[in-house]
Amino acid sequence: MARLSLSALGRRIAPGWRTNDRRSVSSWPGAIVVLMALAVVLASAPAAHAQQTLPDPDQIKSQGMATPGGSVRPPANAVNLPDTSGSSVRRPGETGRPAPAMTVPGNAVGNESVTESLWDRVRHGQRGAVVVPGAEQGVLIQSAGEEWRLIRNDQVVHYGGMLLLAVLTAIVLFYLIRGRIKIEGGRSGLVIPRFTLAQRIAHWFAATLFVLLALSGLIILFGKSVLLPVLGPTGFAVVASASMQGHNLFGPLFLPAVLAILVLFIKGNAPRAVDVSWLFKAGGLFGSHASAGKYNAGQKLWFLMTIILGVAISVSGFVLLFPDFIAERSQAQLANLAHGIAAVIFIAVGIGHAYIGSLGMEGAFEAMSTGTVDTNWAKEHHDIWYAEHKGQAMADTGRAEVEAGAAGDGVMHGVRP
Amino acid sequence: MIQFIEGPLWYLALTVFVVGVAWRIIALVTMKRPADLSEARSGSSGAGGAVKAIIQHSVPHGGNLGRTLYHFVTGYLFHVGLLVLILFAAPHVEFIQERLIGADIGWPKLPRWGFIIAAEAAFAGLILLYVHRLTDPVKKQLSDIDDHLGVWLTFIVMLTGCLALQEAHAGLRAFHLLTVEALMIYFPFSRLIHAFTFLLSRARTGATYGRRGFAP
Amino acid sequence: MTVEPGTIAPDNRPVNVQAAVDKMDALLGGHIASYLDACVHCGQCAQACHFHEATQNPRHTPALKLLPMTRVYRRNKSPFSGLKKALGLAPEITEQELRDWEPLIFDTCTMCARCTVVCPMAIDIASVVAATRQAFVAAGLGPPDLLQAADNARDKGSPLGVTPEVLEDRVEWLADDNEIEIPLDKDKADVLLTVSSIEMMKYPDSVVAMAKLLNTAGVDWTLSSKGYEATNFGVLSGKSDVAKIMVERIAAAAEAVNAKTVVVPECGHAYGVLRWSGANLLGRELPFQVLHITEYLADLKRQGRLKFKPYTEQAVTYHDPCQISRRGGATADARYLLDGFASDFREMTPTGNFNWCCGGGGGVQAMARAADVRHEVFRIKMAQVEATGAPALVSACANCRLTMDESKAALKWDKELISIVEMLADNLDVPAES
Ligand code: SF4
Ligand code: SF4
């Protein structure tokens, strides 16, 4: 795992990219990309020495595999130098033990000259020995950058875009077919306190940042394919530069926001037996009643997702924001992929969350605005929670809002001296 | 367009700002009330009270820290962050030198990391304060259109400023300047004037009560 | 229809909106304008006001009490008011609005200035409320019983009907009953003592105690039937004419006996008004100094003219009347008196200049319809006292005392309330020969 390399990953998911035929991109399920990239970041990002292992070019050829980076020719002014691979410079103090020799491919023929072969190796990120200490100093060209670029620009953009479009379409369709989910019994006029002021503030603080980051992030990720053709190079440059600055600036605030959500919402979000049946009934979306406590299984998953994706995005974001603190750029490349993939999923589900919390369901938005909910809404969507808290129902909405602010669904203590 | 924003509009905004603020302050200062005829407590004076009040009301006092902690923290994050940005962000220092005071006078510019920290603080503070305004029942009923406009304008100014951070595009810079001009024109007519009146208000309470021996 | 604490039942008194607007316009000077221009609607003042804290009702946010003035300011006075008017941003005040504001201005402000402490702008809402009350009275609004108290003070000499004749009767009775000399209407005296009619009618022991202390210290003092009422319901109710009359009476009495010092009894607002607004109401400097009884007794103690036996009966705590401590600046003197006297003295938290109000200042005590909300407020004081563990609460204001006595009865609270003057008088260390 620790030695899993980006190029290997890239080849496996996109063996056809060298043909420059974007249609022939492998159709591995996007989910695998996501899981792997996430796993990479979460498990090995701190390990920090995922070296580039370069497969032997011959082996590549004999297996009929594409050579990553092979499409790039040596610069026109490349000077032919004799192969110095066996006698590279020694570090001061090193013993005379020779550095591992680069072997000249045995079947080098025609234009596969010695120089070409050197270029090949350099181009493929072969690590040489150099006097300057440092993790990457021996690598002249970090060829994984190209792979990263292609995964990001093709795979992530492609599947991510499809995912987002699919979610949007699903929501529109759902709205057209099912319409706004009404409170069946109508409003009772009685409300129950639900969320504290602290919870609501944390929620809206995170939500504000989410929107700002999602918008700027989507421009960064999809701008080249979507906006560039519309705005033209100059216009897009302005928008992209602005988005990048904004994204970098708001990004660091997201971690504290997610942590605040974790602390303030963790109570009541533990799984319980009733969640299983809720999931089987798809939350009662299609008719049948699904029981739930303070949070239903969908909300619990969203909570979990917020924490896991939020932290993953934040950590990978910090890696990208402060590259000085990582050893090699391959880590930045992995971080970037994980960042983008996690973000696209987060946004996709987030759109669903925002929809159901506002337009999609009558009586849901006020839970997060005034902190109170109508008793009939509670009965229909959180029957178990309702049964526990119906004693707190009141007609004075202003009072309920105050009590919610101080104590959520708990009992407000009286005068504080 | 960019020329208009950087030229005539800037001078218009500057004029409205300076004249408007001056007018309001002068109006307040000249609205006098008759001298206080009561005899001051010995050892206490109005001037001393005014100074004390100005300083004391910068921080929660009288055992009220716990009650006002949220405002204290977010308020300081926002105000200090914003003030640092306005006065020390490198492009601002250059702009001020170029437009207002000349290159001879100058002061240290913020390094990039300093800018980022100040901006993070200002944004976090402003968003947290505004979210509180939208959810806290006390603040909700106090708020009027002026409060919302003021916050939004400030937020947009800060946002456009940060988007232009790279300084690679004249358009972004001009856009930021445009929003700043909008804010400057709005300023004297709005509650944003508290940036100046806080001194007057504190000083007046301090002066009235200082001579009594204690200024609340 | 039940009425929520702090609101009042609808009525059909005629309301003169224009009179209110004119009055506010006239009173709106640089101070109030500065305050109105500085308020940032941060709502922190709510956290300091006992009416908000006790009810947790956002309606009781102090900054809302600036609203009537703000509206007048924006429409008539502020720079750019013409522009705002033209743009429709400064609508006229309506009768309904005045009615809605009335409980905020009267029933739920004790003018305690706690909100000023917390306000980042140091806005003195209490003084704005005092000015606004004048406008409401001009419009024909205001709690009837409070206004009646002011009229009584003007017509009878005291809000509780202590006319000069009643005063004479009661002084005679008190002197006889307690075998003590209480000089009334001496020709000349160094010190003019004033009384609160609350003491005269409800806590006469306190008058006796003051007499005892002043006599023991050998002070040349007197009461005067020309000016004896220390309370000033003119100020509390917003009737500025009555306010002036009350001060004039005391000044005339003091000048008639050539007093160098006027001593205000245990009454918070009486001290605040006479000490800090008296000269301004009269329009001239006062030819005498004004001291609260705690200040004066502290002076006597400092001079060695009064000595006390240590009070060891029980632990006590001290309630600072807002107008004496926070708004009066005489916080230290009560402490000086208790120091070395009460053997187990415990401060509340917060205390001194930052103490919580009893709930009955600013005339709220005199408004029957505010009783419920006052009792709610008193729970804060109860919790504060209980936290000290002291079984008794000492104070230096008869109005606080009455408020607390009523709330104590309503809430069936078991702690003891003590007047500092009575406590001192009961523990005088009198040399054997007298
Ligand atoms: S002066 Fe006291 S009672 Fe009046 S609003 Fe302020 S805190 Fe409340
Ligand atoms: S604390 Fe002061 S500035 Fe804030 S709302 Fe209250 S009065 Fe206004």
Side-chain angles (χ1 to χ4, degrees):
Chain A
M1 192 57 171
R3 291 185 66 82
L4 186 134
S5 80
L6 195 59
S7 26
L9 175 65
R11 274 195 305 283
R12 284 176 58 200
I13 55 176
W17 70 41
R18 277 209 52 244
T19 62
N20 277 345
D21 176 4
R22 302 211 165 174
R23 306 267 153 248
S24 73
V25 160
S26 151
S27 53
W28 277 63
I32 292 189
V33 184
V34 169
L35 288 177
M36 292 182 69
L38 261 181
V40 168
V41 165
L42 291 176
S44 75
H49 38 14
Q51 286 176 6
Q52 299 302 311
T53 49
L54 179 71
D56 188 310
D58 299 347
Q59 194 193 342
I60 292 169
K61 281 198 186 116
S62 65
Q63 289 172 0
M65 284 173 75
T67 316
S71 64
V72 183
R73 279 184 300 279
N77 58 350
V79 182
N80 278 0
L81 291 171
D83 185 1
T84 55
S85 56
S87 58
S88 57
V89 187
R90 254 179 273 144
R91 285 165 199 255
E94 242 179 32
T95 59
R97 190 169 56 83
M102 284 184 174
T103 47
V104 179
N107 59 348
V109 284
N111 63 351
E112 293 236 49
S113 67
V114 170
T115 320
E116 181 75 335
S117 169
L118 171 67
W119 161 251
D120 239 20
R121 282 148 207 276
V122 169
R123 179 60 194 84
H124 290 136
Q126 171 88 42
R127 184 184 303 265
V130 285
V131 276
V132 189
E136 277 194 317
Q137 304 293 355
V139 182
L140 275 182
I141 296 179
Q142 203 261 11
S143 62
E146 177 69 0
E147 288 129 22
W148 157 75
R149 194 180 70 81
L150 289 170
I151 300 177
R152 177 192 181 278
N153 288 357
D154 288 347
Q155 311 291 302
V156 179
V157 168
H158 185 74
Y159 292 112
M162 290 204 322
L163 178 62
L164 290 178
L165 283 180
V167 166
L168 283 176
T169 317
I171 286 176
V172 171
L173 282 179
F174 186 80
Y175 183 70
L176 291 178
I177 297 167
R178 178 79 158 75
R180 182 169 214 218
I181 300 172
K182 290 259 179 317
I183 300 177
E184 272 167 44
R187 284 180 187 271
S188 67
L190 295 175
V191 294
I192 307 181
R194 186 162 163 87
F195 289 125
T196 64
L197 200 60
Q199 285 176 318
R200 282 176 275 151
I201 287 173
H203 173 268
W204 290 115
F205 182 57
T208 310
L209 292 171
F210 185 90
V211 170
L212 290 166
L213 288 165
L215 286 177
S216 54
L218 288 174
I219 291 175
I220 295 170
L221 186 59
F222 295 101
K224 210 164 159 189
S225 359
V226 179
L227 292 179
L228 181 58
V230 186
L231 297 175
T234 322
F236 179 62
V238 170
V239 173
S241 148
S243 301
M244 190 266 282
Q245 295 298 347
H247 199 80
N248 286 353
L249 202 77
F250 289 117
L253 294 177
F254 196 61
L255 187 59
V258 167
L259 295 181
I261 298 255
L262 171 66
V263 172
L264 292 171
F265 286 90
I266 193 155
K267 190 173 163 242
N269 259 310
R272 10 190 317 192
V274 65
D275 297 335
V276 179
S277 75
W278 190 94
L279 284 173
F280 272 117
K281 292 178 184 165
L285 262 192
F286 307 104
S288 64
H289 176 83
S291 271
K294 175 148 187 183
Y295 305 111
N296 61 41
Q299 288 169 307
K300 287 178 185 176
L301 286 176
W302 170 236
F303 171 75
L304 206 64
M305 203 175 220
T306 303
I307 304 308
I308 293 177
L309 293 182
V311 171
I313 291 177
S314 297
V315 170
S316 54
F318 276 114
V319 168
L320 295 168
L321 206 50
F322 302 103
D324 300 351
F325 296 107
I326 53 171
E328 292 186 18
R329 64 202 63 211
S330 61
Q331 289 161 357
Q333 290 153 356
L334 284 171
N336 178 279
L337 287 183
H339 192 79
I341 293 162
V344 167
I345 299 173
F346 203 4
I347 292 170
V349 185
I351 293 172
H353 168 75
Y355 168 76
I356 207 73
S358 55
L359 188 62
M361 179 184 283
E362 181 186 5
F365 187 76
E366 56 219 51
M368 266 304 154
S369 61
T370 62
T372 64
V373 291
D374 193 274
T375 49
N376 282 349
W377 179 92
K379 225 180 283 177
E380 282 160 30
H381 300 290
H382 298 273
D383 51 349
I384 301 173
W385 178 76
Y386 170 74
E388 288 160 4
H389 292 274
K390 61 183 168 209
Q392 287 159 257
M394 60 185 100
D396 184 344
T397 51
R399 184 68 204 171
E401 190 175 342
V402 169
E403 297 203 356
D409 59 8
V411 178
M412 187 172 123
H413 47 265
V415 175
R416 24 175 220 159
Chain B
M1 184 62 187
I2 290 180
Q3 273 165 2
F4 176 70
I5 292 171
E6 295 199 335
L9 195 57
W10 162 252
Y11 289 105
L12 174 74
L14 190 65
T15 314
V16 171
F17 178 77
V18 171
V19 174
V21 168
W23 187 7
R24 279 190 77 164
I25 303 294
I26 290 168
L28 285 178
V29 174
T30 50
M31 279 168 89
K32 284 235 172 65
R33 77 166 178 192
D36 193 337
L37 298 172
S38 66
E39 180 197 351
R41 188 176 294 279
S42 71
S44 305
S45 77
V51 173
K52 233 187 257 172
I54 288 174
I55 296 167
Q56 210 168 31
H57 281 268
S58 301
V59 285
H61 58 286
N64 288 303
L65 175 65
R67 293 173 178 277
T68 53
L69 193 61
Y70 186 84
H71 281 96
F72 179 50
V73 174
T74 56
Y76 264 91
L77 276 179
F78 167 65
H79 282 99
V80 172
L82 184 65
L83 206 68
V84 167
L85 288 180
I86 292 177
L87 292 180
F88 297 102
H92 290 169
V93 177
E94 283 154 24
F95 184 87
I96 292 170
Q97 286 178 331
E98 181 191 321
R99 296 299 181 100
L100 300 174
I101 55 174
D104 302 339
I105 319 170
W107 52 87
K109 298 169 189 168
L110 270 187
R112 194 183 141 76
W113 58 265
F115 180 96
I116 290 182
I117 290 176
E120 304 276 357
F123 273 115
L126 184 61
I127 296 172
L128 285 170
L129 281 170
Y130 190 59
V131 165
H132 192 245
R133 185 173 290 292
L134 294 179
T135 45
D136 176 39
V138 165
K139 256 158 114 176
K140 256 195 328 201
Q141 62 162 1
L142 280 175
S143 302
D144 56 21
I145 179 80
D146 186 9
D147 294 308
H148 296 287
L149 259 177
V151 171
W152 276 97
L153 263 175
T154 311
F155 180 78
I156 289 171
V157 164
M158 281 164 51
L159 186 66
T160 57
C162 292
L163 299 188
L165 185 55
Q166 211 165 331
E167 289 193 84
H169 304 279
L172 286 180
R173 187 187 141 99
F175 187 45
H176 176 50
L177 188 56
L178 179 68
T179 57
V180 171
E181 286 159 356
L183 186 79
M184 285 168 76
I185 291 172
Y186 181 65
F187 194 101
F189 305 95
S190 73
R191 198 162 287 119
L192 297 173
I193 196 81
H194 78 272
F196 297 96
T197 48
F198 79 98
L199 280 175
L200 273 176
S201 170
R202 288 182 194 175
R204 289 200 136 133
T205 295
T208 307
Y209 290 91
R211 54 203 308 289
R212 300 188 184 185
F214 172 76
Chain C
M1 180 186 154
T2 57
V3 181
E4 211 213 312
T7 59
I8 53 174
D11 58 46
N12 37 25
R13 287 169 290 172
V15 175
N16 185 346
V17 178
Q18 194 54 45
V21 171
D22 291 345
K23 191 78 191 174
M24 283 193 263
D25 202 323
L27 292 172
L28 219 165
H31 271 65
I32 294 180
S34 300
Y35 294 147
L36 302 180
D37 268 343
C39 177
V40 283
H41 291 174
C42 69
Q44 288 177 80
C45 41
Q47 309 291 312
C49 179
H50 40 279
F51 287 108
H52 177 266
E53 286 305 276
T55 62
Q56 290 290 321
N57 187 341
R59 210 173 118 74
H60 298 313
T61 301
L64 283 183
K65 293 164 190 170
L66 300 174
L67 221 79
M69 281 285 186
T70 306
R71 291 281 294 279
V72 172
Y73 181 55
R74 206 180 288 162
R75 189 171 167 83
N76 296 359
K77 272 239 163 96
S78 75
F80 315 123
S81 60
L83 185 72
K84 286 180 174 154
K85 219 160 150 178
L87 290 172
L89 293 174
E92 268 180 87
I93 287 178
T94 66
E95 181 183 328
Q96 190 53 47
E97 283 173 323
L98 282 182
R99 286 183 187 282
D100 291 346
W101 287 327
E102 184 190 322
L104 297 185
I105 298 302
F106 287 93
D107 306 40
T108 57
C109 185
T110 54
M111 305 206 243
C112 72
R114 267 189 60 87
C115 47
T116 307
V117 173
V118 141
C119 174
M121 304 291 158
I123 294 172
D124 183 16
I125 289 175
S127 68
V128 181
V129 165
T132 309
R133 281 188 182 182
Q134 294 187 30
F136 276 63
V137 169
L141 290 166
D145 36 10
L146 180 66
L147 299 177
Q148 187 59 52
D151 290 347
N152 285 350
R154 181 189 60 211
D155 302 337
K156 303 191 175 134
S158 133
L160 294 183
V162 181
T163 59
E165 296 76 46
V166 173
L167 178 80
E168 217 167 306
D169 276 3
R170 289 192 72 88
V171 164
E172 202 174 313
W173 164 67
L174 285 174
D176 286 355
D177 240 28
N178 296 280
E179 295 173 6
I180 191 168
E181 196 190 334
I182 304 180
L184 174 66
D185 288 329
K186 285 208 306 205
D187 284 346
K188 291 281 175 263
D190 288 345
V191 171
L192 174 73
L193 179 70
T194 57
V195 291
S196 145
S197 50
I198 297 178
E199 293 173 309
M200 250 330 170
M201 302 308 286
K202 301 199 165 133
Y203 304 117
D205 286 353
S206 169
V207 181
V208 175
M210 286 193 290
K212 192 171 162 195
L213 289 163
L214 295 180
N215 290 346
T216 306
V219 174
D220 172 23
W221 68 284
T222 185
L223 287 169
S224 163
S225 56
K226 281 203 206 66
Y228 51 90
E229 181 60 52
T231 64
N232 193 323
F233 275 70
V235 168
L236 298 182
S237 67
K239 293 192 166 206
S240 45
D241 50 336
V242 180
K244 188 170 177 189
I245 290 171
M246 300 308 287
V247 174
E248 275 169 348
R249 285 182 188 157
I250 292 177
E255 278 159 349
V257 298
N258 225 347
K260 291 193 284 296
T261 303
V262 171
V263 172
V264 176
E266 286 193 338
C267 178
H269 87 269
Y271 173 68
V273 171
L274 196 62
R275 175 70 178 87
W276 301 113
S277 307
N280 299 322
L281 281 165
L282 280 189
R284 62 183 168 90
E285 284 180 26
L286 301 176
F288 47 81
Q289 65 166 344
V290 178
L291 291 176
H292 184 251
I293 184 78
T294 54
E295 287 179 293
Y296 191 60
L297 294 179
D299 271 354
L300 294 176
K301 185 180 172 187
R302 252 176 238 122
Q303 293 162 15
R305 291 164 73 184
L306 284 178
K307 290 199 169 46
F308 305 101
K309 295 185 289 238
Y311 179 89
T312 51
E313 241 167 79
Q314 56 188 343
V316 295
T317 181
Y318 180 73
H319 165 77
D320 287 85
C322 306
Q323 308 299 331
I324 294 169
S325 293
R326 183 165 39 253
R327 290 186 89 205
T331 322
D333 296 285
R335 304 269 170 335
Y336 175 76
L337 288 170
L338 289 167
D339 200 25
F341 166 61
S343 55
D344 187 354
F345 174 58
R346 307 175 183 178
E347 289 280 16
M348 287 184 264
T349 334
T351 186
N353 295 326
F354 307 110
N355 197 19
W356 285 99
C357 175
C358 64
V364 173
Q365 155 59 226
M367 304 171 204
R369 68 191 192 199
D372 286 349
V373 71
R374 251 198 288 132
H375 299 329
E376 277 312 303
V377 164
F378 186 66
R379 289 177 192 278
I380 300 179
K381 185 57 56 188
M382 284 164 52
Q384 262 193 301
V385 175
E386 276 160 20
T388 67
L393 173 62
V394 180
S395 190
C397 171
N399 187 67
C400 294
R401 187 179 178 188
L402 181 58
T403 303
M404 298 196 285
D405 259 342
E406 282 183 19
S407 294
K408 183 178 131 131
L411 300 171
K412 307 200 170 42
W413 195 48
D414 62 353
K415 302 284 184 269
E416 193 187 341
L417 300 177
I418 305 177
S419 130
I420 191 170
V421 173
E422 290 174 27
M423 183 186 182
L424 290 167
D426 288 349
N427 294 278
L428 263 173
D429 191 2
V430 190
E433 71 268 2
S434 61

